[in-house]
């Protein structure tokens, strides 16, 4: 078995939080809402192209538990456009350039407080 890349992430929470997450991922980061199987819980599947990469599931507040999820990363393009979109939506972020590869990275948080890393560049592997 080989890991080929990020398939999806799943975030759970009460209706209001999941709705705010949907707005963040669609309006700020540019994913699109798409088809979702008829699960017993409500929620959204958010797509990058034809792939559902973010699954949002409603979960009763009383049933919610903590999470160990620190962050996840997306490979991106359009660095300057993303910077402007983040500023338009008053989203705080930190930017760095990766030593040796020149990739640029933006670090921010979604409404759940989960870290989001956006990677721009060729995605070269670093070989010392």
């Amino acid at each position: 078995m080989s890991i080929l890349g990020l398939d999806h992430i799943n975030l759970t929470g009460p209706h209001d939080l999941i709705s705010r997450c949907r707005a963040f991922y669609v309006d700020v980061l540019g994913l699109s809402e798409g088809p979702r199987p008829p699960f017993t819980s409500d929620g959204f599947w958010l797509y990058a192209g034809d792939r559902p990469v973010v699954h949002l599931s409603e979960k009763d507040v009383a049933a919610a538990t903590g999470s160990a999820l620190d962050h996840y990363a997306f490979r991106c393009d359009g660095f300057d456009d993303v910077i402007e979109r983040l500023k338009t939506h008053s989203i705080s972020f930190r930017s760095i350039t990766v030593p040796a590869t020149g990739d640029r990275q933006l670090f921010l948080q979604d409404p759940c407080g989960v870290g989001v890393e956006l990677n721009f560049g060729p995605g070269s592997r670093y070989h010392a």
Side-chain angles (χ1 to χ4, degrees), residues 10 32-37 39 43-47 52 54-56:
N10 186 292
S32 60
E33 186 177 343
R36 179 180 184 265
F39 296 116
F44 307 97
W45 273 19
L46 307 179
Y47 285 69
V54 177
H55 298 177
L56 301 174

Side-chain angles (χ1 to χ4, degrees), residues 9-73:
I9 62 162
N10 186 292
L11 302 173
T12 61
H15 173 78
D16 179 60
L17 180 59
I18 292 304
S19 294
R20 287 187 293 132
C21 284
R22 183 213 165 273
F24 174 81
Y25 287 103
V26 171
D27 299 339
V28 177
L29 295 186
L31 296 179
S32 60
E33 186 177 343
R36 179 180 184 265
F39 296 116
T40 56
S41 65
D42 290 328
F44 307 97
W45 273 19
L46 307 179
Y47 285 69
D50 64 352
R51 293 193 35 83
V53 296
V54 177
H55 298 177
L56 301 174
S57 304
E58 289 186 18
K59 188 175 192 179
D60 183 57
V61 177
T65 60
S67 172
L69 180 61
D70 175 65
H71 79 275
Y72 53 89

